[in-house]
């Protein structure tokens, strides 16, 4: 069984020249101020390693932000 990714991000290059915060902050639909200021630590969540401040919220938030699970 293949697992879906925790978040979906748009295509394109990583953040332009951002040295603080998450490298995906410019293209992640779930980004908040904390993401701009702090690099998320790699940690265990739901049986996999994640580096996201909002991993626990991400599945629900992804459905809200992107309007469904398509």
């Amino acid at each position: 069984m293949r697992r879906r990714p925790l978040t979906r991000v748009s295509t394109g290059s990583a953040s332009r020249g951002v040295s603080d915060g998450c490298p995906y902050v410019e293209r992640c639909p779930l980004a908040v101020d904390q993401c701009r200021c702090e690099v998320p630590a790699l940690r265990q969540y739901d049986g996999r390693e994640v580096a996201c401040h909002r991993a626990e919220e991400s599945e629900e938030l992804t459905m809200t932000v992107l309007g469904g699970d398509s």
Side-chain angles (χ1 to χ4, degrees):
M1 180 172 156
R2 188 171 178 191
R3 297 182 76 152
R4 294 183 322 175
L6 286 177
T7 61
R8 298 178 197 164
V9 294
S10 65
T11 58
S13 61
S15 185
R16 291 157 269 150
V18 175
S19 60
D20 295 333
C22 179
Y24 297 103
V25 71
E26 296 298 324
R27 59 184 180 162
C28 179
L30 308 176
V32 293
D33 288 340
Q34 180 183 18
C35 305
R36 290 171 182 78
C37 302
E38 300 174 28
V39 175
L42 188 62
R43 60 192 172 93
Q44 288 288 317
Y45 173 70
D46 197 27
R48 57 188 133 179
E49 290 186 323
V50 298
C52 178
H53 296 298
R54 303 185 79 187
E56 291 80 6
E57 307 168 68
S58 66
E59 190 166 337
E60 179 181 328
L61 289 169
T62 299
M63 298 306 151
T64 300
V65 170
L66 299 177
D69 62 346
S70 56

